[in-house]
Structures are given as C-alpha cells and as structure tokens.
Coordinates of all heavy atoms in Angstrom, one line a residue:
M926 N -20.3 -18.7 -16.2 CA -19.1 -18.3 -15.4 C -19.4 -16.8 -14.9 O -19.9 -16.0 -15.6 CB -17.8 -18.1 -16.4 CG -17.3 -19.6 -16.8 SD -16.6 -20.4 -15.4 CE -17.6 -21.8 -15.4
T927 N -18.9 -16.5 -13.7 CA -19.0 -15.2 -13.2 C -17.7 -14.8 -12.5 O -16.8 -15.6 -12.2 CB -20.1 -15.1 -12.2 OG1 -19.8 -16.1 -11.1 CG2 -21.4 -15.2 -12.7
I928 N -17.5 -13.5 -12.4 CA -16.4 -13.0 -11.6 C -16.8 -12.7 -10.2 O -17.8 -12.1 -10.0 CB -15.8 -11.8 -12.3 CG1 -15.2 -12.1 -13.7 CG2 -14.8 -11.1 -11.4 CD1 -14.8 -10.9 -14.4
D929 N -16.2 -13.3 -9.2 CA -16.4 -13.0 -7.8 C -15.6 -11.8 -7.4 O -14.3 -11.9 -7.7 CB -16.2 -14.3 -7.0 CG -17.2 -15.3 -7.0 OD1 -18.3 -15.0 -6.6 OD2 -16.9 -16.3 -7.6
R930 N -16.2 -10.9 -6.8 CA -15.4 -9.7 -6.4 C -15.2 -9.6 -4.9 O -16.2 -9.7 -4.2 CB -16.2 -8.4 -6.9 CG -16.2 -8.3 -8.4 CD -17.3 -7.5 -8.9 NE -17.4 -7.7 -10.4 CZ -16.7 -7.0 -11.3 NH1 -15.9 -6.1 -11.0 NH2 -16.9 -7.3 -12.6
F931 N -14.0 -9.3 -4.5 CA -13.7 -9.1 -3.0 C -13.1 -7.8 -2.9 O -12.0 -7.5 -3.4 CB -12.8 -10.2 -2.6 CG -13.4 -11.6 -2.9 CD1 -13.0 -12.3 -4.0 CD2 -14.4 -12.2 -2.1 CE1 -13.5 -13.5 -4.4 CE2 -14.9 -13.4 -2.5 CZ -14.5 -14.2 -3.5
E932 N -13.8 -6.8 -2.3 CA -13.4 -5.4 -2.5 C -13.2 -4.7 -1.1 O -12.8 -3.5 -1.1 CB -14.4 -4.7 -3.3 CG -14.5 -5.2 -4.7 CD -15.5 -4.6 -5.6 OE1 -16.8 -4.7 -5.5 OE2 -15.1 -3.9 -6.5
N933 N -13.4 -5.4 -0.1 CA -13.0 -4.7 1.2 C -12.6 -5.7 2.2 O -12.7 -6.9 2.1 CB -14.1 -3.7 1.7 CG -15.4 -4.5 1.9 OD1 -15.4 -5.5 2.7 ND2 -16.4 -4.1 1.2
E934 N -12.2 -5.2 3.4 CA -11.5 -6.1 4.4 C -12.5 -7.2 4.8 O -12.1 -8.3 5.2 CB -11.1 -5.3 5.6 CG -10.1 -4.2 5.2 CD -8.8 -4.8 4.5 OE1 -8.3 -5.7 5.0 OE2 -8.4 -4.1 3.6
D935 N -13.7 -6.9 4.9 CA -14.7 -7.9 5.5 C -14.8 -9.1 4.5 O -15.4 -10.1 4.8 CB -16.1 -7.2 5.4 CG -16.2 -6.2 6.6 OD1 -15.3 -6.2 7.5 OD2 -17.2 -5.4 6.6
D936 N -14.3 -8.9 3.2 CA -14.4 -10.0 2.2 C -13.2 -11.0 2.4 O -13.2 -11.9 1.6 CB -14.4 -9.4 0.8 CG -15.7 -8.6 0.5 OD1 -16.7 -8.9 1.1 OD2 -15.6 -7.8 -0.4
K937 N -12.3 -10.7 3.3 CA -11.1 -11.4 3.3 C -11.2 -12.9 3.4 O -10.7 -13.7 2.7 CB -10.1 -10.9 4.4 CG -8.8 -11.5 4.3 CD -7.8 -10.8 5.4 CE -6.6 -11.7 5.5 NZ -5.7 -11.0 6.6
Q938 N -12.0 -13.3 4.4 CA -12.3 -14.7 4.6 C -13.0 -15.4 3.4 O -12.6 -16.4 2.9 CB -13.1 -14.9 5.9 CG -13.0 -16.4 6.3 CD -11.6 -17.0 6.5 OE1 -10.8 -16.3 7.2 NE2 -11.3 -18.1 5.8
R939 N -14.0 -14.7 2.8 CA -14.6 -15.2 1.7 C -13.6 -15.4 0.4 O -13.7 -16.3 -0.3 CB -15.7 -14.3 1.2 CG -17.1 -14.4 2.0 CD -18.2 -13.9 1.3 NE -17.9 -12.5 0.8 CZ -18.1 -12.2 -0.5 NH1 -18.3 -13.1 -1.4 NH2 -17.8 -11.0 -0.9
Y940 N -12.8 -14.4 0.4 CA -11.8 -14.5 -0.7 C -10.8 -15.6 -0.5 O -10.5 -16.4 -1.4 CB -10.9 -13.1 -0.6 CG -9.6 -13.1 -1.2 CD1 -9.5 -13.3 -2.7 CD2 -8.3 -13.0 -0.5 CE1 -8.1 -13.2 -3.2 CE2 -7.1 -13.1 -1.1 CZ -7.0 -13.2 -2.5 OH -5.8 -13.2 -3.0
L941 N -10.3 -15.9 0.7 CA -9.5 -17.0 1.1 C -10.2 -18.4 0.8 O -9.6 -19.3 0.2 CB -8.9 -16.9 2.5 CG -8.0 -15.7 2.7 CD1 -7.6 -15.6 4.2 CD2 -6.7 -15.8 1.9
D942 N -11.4 -18.3 1.2 CA -12.2 -19.6 0.9 C -12.4 -19.8 -0.5 O -12.3 -21.0 -1.0 CB -13.7 -19.4 1.6 CG -13.5 -19.5 3.1 OD1 -12.5 -19.9 3.7 OD2 -14.6 -19.1 3.8
W943 N -12.7 -18.7 -1.3 CA -12.7 -18.9 -2.8 C -11.5 -19.6 -3.3 O -11.6 -20.5 -4.2 CB -13.1 -17.6 -3.5 CG -13.4 -17.7 -4.9 CD1 -14.7 -17.7 -5.4 CD2 -12.6 -17.9 -6.0 NE1 -14.6 -17.9 -6.8 CE2 -13.3 -18.0 -7.2 CE3 -11.2 -18.0 -6.1 CZ2 -12.8 -18.2 -8.5 CZ3 -10.6 -18.1 -7.5 CH2 -11.4 -18.2 -8.5
R944 N -10.3 -19.1 -2.9 CA -9.1 -19.6 -3.4 C -8.9 -21.1 -3.1 O -8.4 -21.9 -3.8 CB -7.9 -18.8 -2.9 CG -7.8 -17.5 -3.6 CD -6.7 -16.6 -3.0 NE -5.5 -17.3 -3.1 CZ -4.4 -17.0 -2.3 NH1 -4.5 -15.9 -1.4 NH2 -3.3 -17.6 -2.4
K945 N -9.4 -21.4 -1.8 CA -9.4 -22.8 -1.4 C -10.2 -23.7 -2.3 O -9.9 -24.9 -2.6 CB -9.7 -23.0 0.1 CG -8.5 -23.2 0.9 CD -8.9 -23.4 2.4 CE -8.1 -22.5 3.3 NZ -8.8 -22.1 4.5
R946 N -11.5 -23.2 -2.5 CA -12.4 -24.0 -3.3 C -12.1 -24.1 -4.8 O -12.6 -25.0 -5.5 CB -13.8 -23.4 -3.2 CG -14.5 -23.6 -1.9 CD -16.1 -23.4 -2.1 NE -16.4 -22.2 -2.9 CZ -16.4 -21.0 -2.4 NH1 -16.2 -20.7 -1.1 NH2 -16.7 -19.9 -3.2
N947 N -11.3 -23.1 -5.3 CA -11.0 -23.0 -6.7 C -9.5 -23.0 -7.0 O -8.9 -22.0 -7.5 CB -11.6 -21.8 -7.3 CG -13.2 -21.8 -7.1 OD1 -13.8 -22.5 -8.0 ND2 -13.7 -21.1 -6.2
P948 N -8.8 -24.1 -6.6 CA -7.3 -24.1 -6.7 C -6.8 -23.9 -8.1 O -5.7 -23.5 -8.4 CB -6.8 -25.5 -6.1 CG -8.1 -26.3 -6.2 CD -9.3 -25.3 -6.1
N949 N -7.7 -24.2 -9.1 CA -7.3 -24.0 -10.5 C -7.8 -22.7 -11.0 O -7.7 -22.5 -12.3 CB -7.8 -25.2 -11.4 CG -7.2 -26.5 -11.0 OD1 -6.1 -26.7 -10.7 ND2 -8.2 -27.6 -10.9
G950 N -8.4 -21.9 -10.1 CA -8.9 -20.6 -10.6 C -7.8 -19.5 -10.7 O -6.5 -19.8 -10.5
F951 N -8.2 -18.3 -10.9 CA -7.3 -17.2 -11.1 C -7.8 -15.9 -10.3 O -8.9 -15.7 -10.1 CB -7.3 -16.7 -12.5 CG -6.9 -17.9 -13.4 CD1 -7.9 -18.7 -14.0 CD2 -5.6 -18.2 -13.7 CE1 -7.5 -19.8 -14.9 CE2 -5.2 -19.4 -14.4 CZ -6.1 -20.1 -15.0
V952 N -6.7 -15.2 -9.8 CA -7.0 -14.0 -9.0 C -6.4 -12.8 -9.8 O -5.2 -12.8 -10.0 CB -6.4 -14.1 -7.6 CG1 -6.5 -12.9 -6.8 CG2 -6.9 -15.4 -6.8
L953 N -7.3 -11.9 -9.9 CA -6.9 -10.6 -10.5 C -6.7 -9.6 -9.4 O -7.7 -9.2 -8.8 CB -7.8 -10.1 -11.7 CG -7.7 -8.7 -12.2 CD1 -6.3 -8.5 -12.9 CD2 -8.7 -8.5 -13.3
N954 N -5.5 -9.1 -9.2 CA -5.3 -8.1 -8.1 C -5.3 -6.7 -8.9 O -4.6 -6.4 -9.7 CB -3.8 -8.3 -7.6 CG -3.6 -7.4 -6.4 OD1 -4.5 -7.4 -5.5 ND2 -2.6 -6.7 -6.5
I955 N -6.2 -5.9 -8.3 CA -6.4 -4.6 -8.8 C -5.4 -3.6 -8.2 O -5.4 -3.4 -7.0 CB -7.8 -4.1 -8.6 CG1 -8.9 -5.0 -9.4 CG2 -8.0 -2.5 -9.1 CD1 -8.8 -4.9 -10.9
N956 N -4.6 -2.9 -9.1 CA -3.7 -2.0 -8.5 C -4.2 -0.6 -9.0 O -3.9 0.4 -8.4 CB -2.3 -2.2 -9.1 CG -1.6 -3.4 -8.4 OD1 -1.6 -3.5 -7.2 ND2 -1.1 -4.3 -9.2
T957 N -5.0 -0.6 -10.0 CA -5.5 0.8 -10.4 C -6.8 0.6 -11.3 O -6.9 -0.4 -12.0 CB -4.6 1.5 -11.3 OG1 -5.2 2.7 -11.7 CG2 -4.1 0.8 -12.5
W958 N -7.8 1.5 -11.0 CA -8.9 1.5 -11.9 C -8.8 2.6 -12.9 O -9.8 2.9 -13.7 CB -10.2 1.7 -11.1 CG -10.6 0.6 -10.2 CD1 -10.7 0.7 -8.9 CD2 -11.2 -0.7 -10.5 NE1 -11.2 -0.5 -8.4 CE2 -11.5 -1.3 -9.4 CE3 -11.4 -1.3 -11.7 CZ2 -12.0 -2.6 -9.3 CZ3 -11.9 -2.6 -11.7 CH2 -12.2 -3.3 -10.6
N959 N -7.7 3.2 -13.0 CA -7.5 4.4 -13.9 C -6.7 3.9 -15.1 O -5.6 3.6 -15.1 CB -6.7 5.4 -13.1 CG -6.6 6.7 -14.0 OD1 -6.8 6.6 -15.2 ND2 -6.1 7.7 -13.4
P960 N -7.4 3.9 -16.3 CA -6.8 3.4 -17.5 C -5.5 4.3 -17.9 O -4.6 3.9 -18.7 CB -7.8 3.6 -18.6 CG -9.1 3.7 -17.9 CD -8.7 4.3 -16.5
K961 N -5.6 5.5 -17.4 CA -4.5 6.4 -17.8 C -3.1 6.3 -16.9 O -2.1 6.8 -17.2 CB -5.0 7.8 -17.8 CG -6.0 8.1 -18.7 CD -6.3 9.6 -18.9 CE -7.3 9.8 -19.9 NZ -8.7 9.4 -19.5
L962 N -3.3 5.4 -15.8 CA -2.2 5.4 -15.0 C -1.3 4.2 -15.6 O -1.3 3.1 -15.1 CB -2.5 5.0 -13.6 CG -2.7 6.1 -12.5 CD1 -2.9 5.4 -11.2 CD2 -1.4 6.9 -12.5
T963 N -0.3 4.5 -16.4 CA 0.5 3.6 -17.0 C 1.6 2.9 -16.2 O 2.2 1.9 -16.5 CB 1.2 4.0 -18.3 OG1 1.8 5.2 -18.0 CG2 0.0 4.3 -19.4
M964 N 1.8 3.6 -15.0 CA 2.9 3.0 -14.2 C 2.5 1.8 -13.4 O 3.2 1.1 -12.8 CB 3.4 4.1 -13.1 CG 2.4 4.7 -12.3 SD 3.0 6.2 -11.4 CE 4.1 5.5 -10.3
Y965 N 1.2 1.6 -13.3 CA 0.7 0.4 -12.6 C 0.0 -0.6 -13.6 O -0.7 -0.1 -14.6 CB -0.5 0.8 -11.5 CG 0.2 1.6 -10.4 CD1 -0.2 2.9 -10.3 CD2 1.0 1.1 -9.5 CE1 0.3 3.7 -9.2 CE2 1.6 1.8 -8.5 CZ 1.1 3.2 -8.3 OH 1.7 3.9 -7.4
K966 N 0.1 -1.8 -13.3 CA -0.7 -2.8 -14.0 C -1.5 -3.7 -13.1 O -0.9 -3.9 -11.9 CB 0.3 -3.7 -14.9 CG 0.8 -3.1 -16.1 CD 1.6 -4.1 -16.9 CE 1.9 -3.6 -18.4 NZ 2.7 -2.4 -18.4
N967 N -2.7 -4.1 -13.5 CA -3.4 -5.1 -12.6 C -2.7 -6.5 -13.0 O -2.4 -6.8 -14.2 CB -4.8 -5.0 -12.9 CG -5.3 -3.7 -12.6 OD1 -4.9 -3.0 -11.6 ND2 -6.3 -3.1 -13.4
I968 N -2.6 -7.3 -12.0 CA -1.9 -8.6 -12.2 C -2.7 -9.8 -12.0 O -3.4 -9.9 -10.9 CB -0.6 -8.6 -11.2 CG1 0.3 -7.3 -11.7 CG2 0.1 -9.9 -11.4 CD1 1.5 -7.3 -10.8
I969 N -2.8 -10.7 -12.9 CA -3.4 -11.9 -12.8 C -2.5 -13.1 -12.2 O -1.4 -13.3 -12.7 CB -4.1 -12.4 -14.1 CG1 -4.9 -11.3 -14.6 CG2 -4.8 -13.7 -13.9 CD1 -5.5 -11.5 -16.1
H970 N -3.0 -13.7 -11.2 CA -2.3 -14.8 -10.5 C -3.1 -16.1 -10.5 O -4.3 -16.1 -10.7 CB -2.0 -14.5 -9.0 CG -1.3 -13.3 -8.7 ND1 0.1 -13.3 -8.5 CD2 -1.7 -12.0 -8.5 CE1 0.4 -12.0 -8.3 NE2 -0.6 -11.3 -8.2
R971 N -2.3 -17.2 -10.4 CA -3.1 -18.5 -10.1 C -3.7 -18.4 -8.7 O -3.0 -17.8 -7.8 CB -2.1 -19.6 -10.1 CG -1.6 -20.0 -11.5 CD -0.6 -21.2 -11.4 NE 0.1 -21.4 -12.7 CZ -0.3 -22.0 -13.7 NH1 -1.6 -22.6 -13.6 NH2 0.3 -22.2 -14.8
A972 N -4.8 -19.0 -8.5 CA -5.4 -18.9 -7.1 C -4.7 -19.7 -6.0 O -4.7 -19.4 -4.9 CB -6.9 -19.4 -7.2
S973 N -4.0 -20.7 -6.5 CA -3.1 -21.4 -5.5 C -1.7 -21.4 -6.0 O -1.4 -21.4 -7.2 CB -3.6 -22.9 -5.4 OG -3.5 -23.6 -6.6
G974 N -0.8 -21.5 -5.1 CA 0.6 -21.8 -5.5 C 1.3 -20.4 -5.9 O 2.4 -20.5 -6.4
C975 N 0.8 -19.2 -5.5 CA 1.6 -18.1 -5.7 C 2.0 -17.4 -4.5 O 1.1 -16.9 -3.8 CB 0.8 -17.0 -6.6 SG 2.0 -15.7 -7.1
S976 N 3.3 -17.4 -4.2 CA 3.7 -16.8 -2.9 C 3.3 -15.4 -2.9 O 3.1 -14.8 -1.8 CB 5.2 -17.1 -2.7 OG 5.9 -16.6 -3.8
S977 N 3.3 -14.7 -4.0 CA 3.0 -13.3 -4.0 C 1.7 -12.9 -3.3 O 1.6 -11.9 -2.6 CB 3.1 -12.8 -5.4 OG 2.9 -11.4 -5.4
L978 N 0.7 -13.8 -3.5 CA -0.6 -13.6 -3.0 C -0.7 -13.6 -1.4 O -1.6 -13.1 -0.7 CB -1.7 -14.5 -3.5 CG -2.0 -14.2 -5.0 CD1 -3.0 -15.3 -5.5 CD2 -2.6 -12.8 -5.2
D979 N 0.3 -14.3 -0.9 CA 0.2 -14.6 0.5 C 1.3 -13.8 1.3 O 1.5 -14.1 2.5 CB 0.2 -16.0 0.8 CG -0.9 -16.8 0.2 OD1 -2.0 -16.2 0.4 OD2 -0.7 -17.8 -0.5
T980 N 2.1 -13.0 0.6 CA 3.1 -12.2 1.3 C 2.5 -11.1 2.1 O 1.5 -10.5 1.8 CB 4.0 -11.6 0.2 OG1 4.5 -12.6 -0.7 CG2 5.2 -10.9 0.8
P981 N 3.0 -10.9 3.3 CA 2.5 -9.9 4.2 C 2.2 -8.6 3.6 O 2.9 -8.1 2.8 CB 3.5 -9.8 5.3 CG 4.2 -11.1 5.3 CD 4.3 -11.6 3.9
P982 N 1.2 -8.0 4.1 CA 0.7 -6.7 3.5 C 1.7 -5.5 3.4 O 1.7 -4.8 2.4 CB -0.4 -6.3 4.4 CG -0.8 -7.4 5.2 CD 0.3 -8.3 5.2
N983 N 2.6 -5.4 4.3 CA 3.4 -4.3 4.4 C 4.4 -4.3 3.3 O 5.1 -3.3 3.0 CB 4.1 -4.0 5.8 CG 4.8 -5.3 6.2 OD1 4.5 -6.4 5.7 ND2 5.7 -5.1 7.1
I984 N 4.7 -5.4 2.7 CA 5.7 -5.4 1.6 C 5.2 -5.8 0.3 O 5.9 -5.9 -0.7 CB 6.9 -6.4 2.0 CG1 6.4 -7.8 2.2 CG2 7.6 -5.9 3.3 CD1 7.5 -8.8 2.4
N985 N 3.8 -6.0 0.2 CA 3.4 -6.5 -1.2 C 2.0 -6.1 -1.4 O 1.1 -6.3 -0.7 CB 3.5 -8.0 -1.1 CG 3.3 -8.6 -2.6 OD1 2.4 -8.1 -3.2 ND2 4.1 -9.6 -3.0
R986 N 1.8 -5.5 -2.6 CA 0.4 -5.0 -2.9 C -0.5 -6.1 -3.4 O -1.7 -5.9 -3.5 CB 0.4 -3.8 -3.8 CG 1.0 -4.2 -5.2 CD 0.9 -2.9 -6.1 NE 1.6 -3.2 -7.3 CZ 2.8 -2.7 -7.7 NH1 3.4 -1.8 -6.9 NH2 3.4 -3.0 -8.8
D987 N 0.0 -7.2 -3.7 CA -0.9 -8.4 -4.0 C -1.4 -9.1 -2.8 O -2.2 -10.0 -2.9 CB -0.1 -9.4 -4.8 CG 0.4 -8.8 -6.1 OD1 -0.2 -7.9 -6.6 OD2 1.5 -9.3 -6.6
R988 N -1.1 -8.5 -1.6 CA -1.7 -9.1 -0.4 C -3.1 -9.4 -0.3 O -3.9 -8.8 -1.2 CB -1.4 -8.0 0.7 CG -2.1 -6.8 0.4 CD -1.4 -5.6 1.1 NE -2.2 -4.4 0.9 CZ -1.7 -3.2 0.9 NH1 -0.4 -3.0 1.2 NH2 -2.3 -2.2 0.7
P989 N -3.6 -10.0 0.7 CA -5.0 -10.3 0.8 C -5.9 -9.0 0.8 O -5.3 -8.0 1.1 CB -5.2 -10.9 2.2 CG -3.9 -11.7 2.3 CD -2.8 -10.9 1.7
V990 N -7.1 -9.2 0.4 CA -8.0 -8.1 0.0 C -7.8 -6.8 1.0 O -7.8 -6.9 2.1 CB -9.5 -8.5 0.3 CG1 -10.4 -7.4 0.0 CG2 -9.8 -9.8 -0.6
T991 N -7.7 -5.8 0.3 CA -7.8 -4.4 1.0 C -8.6 -3.6 0.0 O -8.8 -3.9 -1.2 CB -6.4 -3.8 1.1 OG1 -6.0 -3.4 -0.1 CG2 -5.4 -4.7 1.9
H992 N -9.1 -2.5 0.6 CA -9.9 -1.6 -0.1 C -9.2 -1.0 -1.3 O -9.7 -0.8 -2.4 CB -10.3 -0.5 0.8 CG -11.1 0.6 0.1 ND1 -12.4 0.3 -0.3 CD2 -10.9 1.9 -0.2 CE1 -12.9 1.4 -0.9 NE2 -12.0 2.4 -0.8
E993 N -7.8 -0.8 -1.2 CA -7.0 -0.3 -2.2 C -6.7 -1.4 -3.3 O -6.4 -0.9 -4.4 CB -5.6 0.2 -1.7 CG -5.7 1.4 -0.8 CD -5.9 1.1 0.6 OE1 -5.9 -0.2 0.9 OE2 -6.4 1.9 1.4
H994 N -6.7 -2.6 -2.9 CA -6.4 -3.6 -3.9 C -7.4 -4.8 -3.9 O -7.2 -5.8 -3.4 CB -4.9 -4.2 -3.6 CG -3.9 -3.2 -3.6 ND1 -3.4 -2.7 -4.8 CD2 -3.2 -2.6 -2.6 CE1 -2.5 -1.7 -4.5 NE2 -2.4 -1.7 -3.2
P995 N -8.6 -4.4 -4.5 CA -9.7 -5.5 -4.6 C -9.2 -6.7 -5.4 O -8.2 -6.5 -6.2 CB -10.8 -4.8 -5.4 CG -10.5 -3.3 -5.3 CD -8.9 -3.2 -5.2
K996 N -9.8 -7.8 -5.3 CA -9.5 -9.0 -6.0 C -10.7 -9.4 -6.8 O -11.8 -9.4 -6.3 CB -9.1 -10.2 -5.0 CG -8.0 -9.8 -4.0 CD -6.7 -9.6 -4.7 CE -5.5 -9.5 -3.6 NZ -5.4 -8.1 -3.1
L997 N -10.4 -9.7 -8.1 CA -11.5 -10.3 -8.9 C -11.1 -11.8 -9.2 O -10.0 -12.0 -9.6 CB -11.6 -9.5 -10.2 CG -11.8 -8.0 -10.2 CD1 -12.2 -7.5 -11.5 CD2 -13.0 -7.6 -9.1
C998 N -12.0 -12.7 -8.8 CA -11.6 -14.0 -9.0 C -12.6 -14.8 -10.0 O -13.7 -14.5 -10.0 CB -11.8 -14.7 -7.6 SG -10.7 -14.1 -6.4
S999 N -11.9 -15.7 -10.8 CA -12.7 -16.4 -11.8 C -12.0 -17.7 -12.0 O -10.8 -17.8 -11.9 CB -12.9 -15.6 -13.0 OG -13.5 -16.5 -14.0
T1000 N -12.8 -18.7 -12.4 CA -12.2 -19.9 -12.9 C -11.7 -19.9 -14.3 O -11.1 -20.8 -14.8 CB -13.1 -21.1 -12.7 OG1 -14.3 -20.8 -13.3 CG2 -13.4 -21.4 -11.2
D1001 N -12.0 -18.7 -15.0 CA -11.8 -18.6 -16.4 C -10.8 -17.4 -16.6 O -11.3 -16.3 -16.4 CB -13.1 -18.4 -17.1 CG -12.9 -18.3 -18.7 OD1 -11.7 -18.2 -19.0 OD2 -13.9 -18.3 -19.4
L1002 N -9.6 -17.7 -16.9 CA -8.6 -16.6 -17.1 C -9.1 -15.7 -18.2 O -8.9 -14.4 -18.1 CB -7.3 -17.3 -17.5 CG -6.1 -16.3 -17.9 CD1 -5.7 -15.4 -16.7 CD2 -4.9 -17.0 -18.3
N1003 N -9.8 -16.1 -19.3 CA -10.2 -15.3 -20.3 C -11.2 -14.2 -19.8 O -11.4 -13.2 -20.3 CB -10.8 -16.1 -21.4 CG -9.7 -17.0 -22.1 OD1 -8.6 -16.5 -22.3 ND2 -10.0 -18.1 -22.4
E1004 N -12.0 -14.7 -18.9 CA -13.1 -13.8 -18.3 C -12.4 -12.5 -17.6 O -12.9 -11.4 -17.7 CB -13.9 -14.5 -17.3 CG -15.2 -13.9 -17.0 CD -16.0 -14.8 -16.2 OE1 -15.6 -15.6 -15.3 OE2 -17.2 -14.8 -16.5
L1005 N -11.3 -12.8 -16.9 CA -10.6 -11.7 -16.2 C -9.9 -10.7 -17.3 O -9.9 -9.6 -17.1 CB -9.6 -12.3 -15.2 CG -10.2 -13.0 -14.1 CD1 -9.0 -13.6 -13.2 CD2 -11.1 -12.3 -13.2
V1006 N -9.4 -11.4 -18.3 CA -8.8 -10.6 -19.3 C -9.8 -9.8 -20.1 O -9.5 -8.6 -20.3 CB -8.1 -11.5 -20.4 CG1 -7.7 -10.8 -21.7 CG2 -6.8 -12.2 -19.7
A1007 N -11.0 -10.3 -20.3 CA -12.0 -9.6 -21.0 C -12.4 -8.4 -20.0 O -12.7 -7.3 -20.7 CB -13.3 -10.5 -21.3
E1008 N -12.5 -8.6 -18.8 CA -13.0 -7.5 -17.8 C -12.0 -6.4 -17.9 O -12.4 -5.2 -18.0 CB -13.0 -8.1 -16.5 CG -13.2 -7.1 -15.3 CD -14.8 -6.7 -15.2 OE1 -15.5 -7.3 -15.9 OE2 -15.0 -5.8 -14.4
M1009 N -10.7 -6.7 -18.0 CA -9.7 -5.6 -18.1 C -9.8 -5.0 -19.5 O -9.7 -3.7 -19.6 CB -8.3 -6.2 -18.0 CG -7.9 -6.7 -16.5 SD -7.9 -5.3 -15.3 CE -9.6 -5.4 -14.7
E1010 N -10.0 -5.7 -20.5 CA -10.0 -5.1 -21.9 C -11.4 -4.3 -22.0 O -11.2 -3.1 -22.6 CB -9.9 -6.2 -22.9 CG -8.5 -6.7 -22.9 CD -8.1 -7.8 -23.9 OE1 -9.1 -8.3 -24.5 OE2 -6.9 -8.0 -24.1
N1011 N -12.4 -4.7 -21.4 CA -13.7 -3.9 -21.5 C -13.4 -2.5 -20.9 O -14.1 -1.6 -21.2 CB -14.7 -4.6 -20.8 CG -15.3 -5.8 -21.6 OD1 -15.0 -5.8 -22.8 ND2 -15.9 -6.8 -21.0
K1012 N -12.7 -2.5 -19.7 CA -12.5 -1.3 -19.0 C -11.2 -0.5 -19.4 O -10.9 0.5 -18.8 CB -12.4 -1.6 -17.5 CG -13.7 -2.1 -16.9 CD -13.5 -2.2 -15.3 CE -14.9 -2.2 -14.6 NZ -15.7 -3.4 -14.9
D1013 N -10.5 -1.1 -20.4 CA -9.4 -0.5 -21.0 C -8.3 -0.3 -19.9 O -7.5 0.7 -19.9 CB -9.7 0.9 -21.7 CG -8.7 1.3 -22.6 OD1 -8.0 0.5 -23.2 OD2 -8.6 2.6 -22.8
L1014 N -8.2 -1.3 -19.0 CA -7.1 -1.3 -18.0 C -5.9 -2.0 -18.3 O -6.0 -3.1 -18.9 CB -7.7 -1.8 -16.6 CG -8.8 -0.8 -16.1 CD1 -9.5 -1.5 -14.9 CD2 -8.2 0.4 -15.5
P1015 N -4.7 -1.5 -17.9 CA -3.5 -2.3 -18.1 C -3.4 -3.5 -17.2 O -3.8 -3.5 -16.1 CB -2.4 -1.4 -17.7 CG -3.0 -0.3 -16.8 CD -4.5 -0.3 -17.2
Y1016 N -2.9 -4.6 -17.8 CA -2.8 -5.8 -16.9 C -1.8 -6.7 -17.4 O -1.3 -6.5 -18.6 CB -4.2 -6.6 -16.9 CG -4.5 -7.3 -18.3 CD1 -4.0 -8.6 -18.5 CD2 -5.0 -6.6 -19.3 CE1 -4.2 -9.2 -19.7 CE2 -5.2 -7.2 -20.5 CZ -4.8 -8.5 -20.8 OH -5.0 -9.1 -22.0
K1017 N -1.3 -7.6 -16.6 CA -0.4 -8.6 -17.1 C -0.5 -9.9 -16.2 O -1.1 -9.8 -15.2 CB 1.1 -8.1 -17.0 CG 1.5 -7.8 -15.5 CD 3.1 -7.3 -15.7 CE 3.7 -7.5 -14.4 NZ 4.8 -8.4 -14.3
T1018 N 0.1 -11.0 -16.7 CA 0.0 -12.1 -15.8 C 1.3 -12.1 -15.0 O 2.3 -11.5 -15.3 CB 0.0 -13.5 -16.7 OG1 1.0 -13.4 -17.6 CG2 -1.4 -13.6 -17.3
C1019 N 1.2 -12.8 -13.7 CA 2.3 -12.7 -12.8 C 3.5 -13.5 -13.3 O 3.4 -14.5 -13.9 CB 1.7 -13.4 -11.5 SG 2.9 -13.7 -10.3
D1020 N 4.6 -12.9 -13.1 CA 5.9 -13.5 -13.5 C 6.3 -14.7 -12.7 O 7.1 -15.5 -13.0 CB 7.0 -12.5 -13.4 CG 6.8 -11.4 -14.5 OD1 6.2 -11.7 -15.5 OD2 7.4 -10.3 -14.2
L1021 N 5.7 -14.8 -11.4 CA 6.1 -15.9 -10.5 C 5.2 -17.1 -10.8 O 5.8 -18.2 -11.0 CB 5.8 -15.5 -9.0 CG 6.8 -14.4 -8.4 CD1 6.2 -14.1 -7.0 CD2 8.1 -15.0 -8.3
C1022 N 3.9 -17.0 -10.9 CA 3.1 -18.2 -11.0 C 2.7 -18.5 -12.5 O 2.1 -19.4 -12.7 CB 1.9 -18.1 -10.0 SG 0.8 -16.7 -10.4
K1023 N 2.9 -17.5 -13.4 CA 2.7 -17.7 -14.7 C 1.4 -18.4 -15.1 O 1.4 -19.4 -15.7 CB 3.9 -18.4 -15.4 CG 5.2 -17.8 -15.3 CD 6.3 -18.6 -15.9 CE 7.6 -17.8 -16.1 NZ 8.1 -17.3 -14.8
P1024 N 0.2 -17.6 -14.9 CA -1.0 -18.3 -15.2 C -1.2 -18.5 -16.7 O -0.8 -17.6 -17.5 CB -2.1 -17.2 -14.6 CG -1.3 -16.2 -14.0 CD 0.1 -16.3 -14.4
K1025 N -1.8 -19.6 -17.0 CA -2.1 -19.9 -18.4 C -3.5 -20.5 -18.4 O -4.0 -21.0 -17.4 CB -1.1 -21.0 -18.9 CG 0.3 -20.4 -19.2 CD 1.0 -21.4 -20.2 CE 1.6 -22.5 -19.5 NZ 2.7 -22.3 -18.5
V1026 N -4.1 -20.4 -19.6 CA -5.5 -21.0 -19.8 C -5.3 -22.5 -19.6 O -4.4 -23.2 -20.2 CB -6.1 -20.7 -21.1 CG1 -7.4 -21.3 -21.3 CG2 -6.1 -19.1 -21.2
N1027 N -6.2 -23.1 -18.8 CA -6.2 -24.6 -18.7 C -6.6 -25.3 -19.9 O -7.4 -24.9 -20.6 CB -7.0 -25.0 -17.5 CG -6.4 -24.6 -16.1 OD1 -5.2 -24.7 -15.9 ND2 -7.3 -24.2 -15.2
Ligands
ZN1237 ZN1 1.4 -14.9 -9.0

C-alpha cells in the first residue's frame, strides 16, 4: 500500500482519475501541516460519493487539488490515519460521507 500525493494544480486530473479508479478508496484533504494550529483539522473523505469533494472551490476547502489543500489518497484508511499520527497533525473523518474501514 502506498499513499498517492496530489499537491498542486497540475495534479488535478491525476487526482480525479485516482478517485475514479479507486471508488472504495479514501481522500485526505490537507488543511494544515502545522500540528499547533488547532483551529484546522485535516479531513478524510470517501473517494466517491462525497459531495464536499466536488463542491466549487470558492465555497469549500475540500475542493479539487490546490497548492493550499493537497490531497493524500489511499485505498487504506488506516494508512492515512497513520500518516497524520506520525506527523502529529489533527484530523477527523468527514461528517457527510462518514468513511469507515472496509
Ligand atoms: Zn466527505
């Protein structure tokens, strides 16, 4: 298992393709790389079926890849959780799509 990282605008199509290929996978939306910023949490979504991920950029930070909000994708939810815990970053699962380990 590996985490696929999509970190800038040029990755947008690869990111969308990844979600299509891995409908049972998970997308971690990065809101902060700073462990001390407690007002933000990084949010884990299901790769398919979450309206939040496809909401237009101006109203939602879970929008398709931007430099400010990189996406980490994996078919293993635990792998994304481990990545956050290794880096001591705050995270939660999305309230809309409620990802769970398959
Ligand atoms: Zn979601």
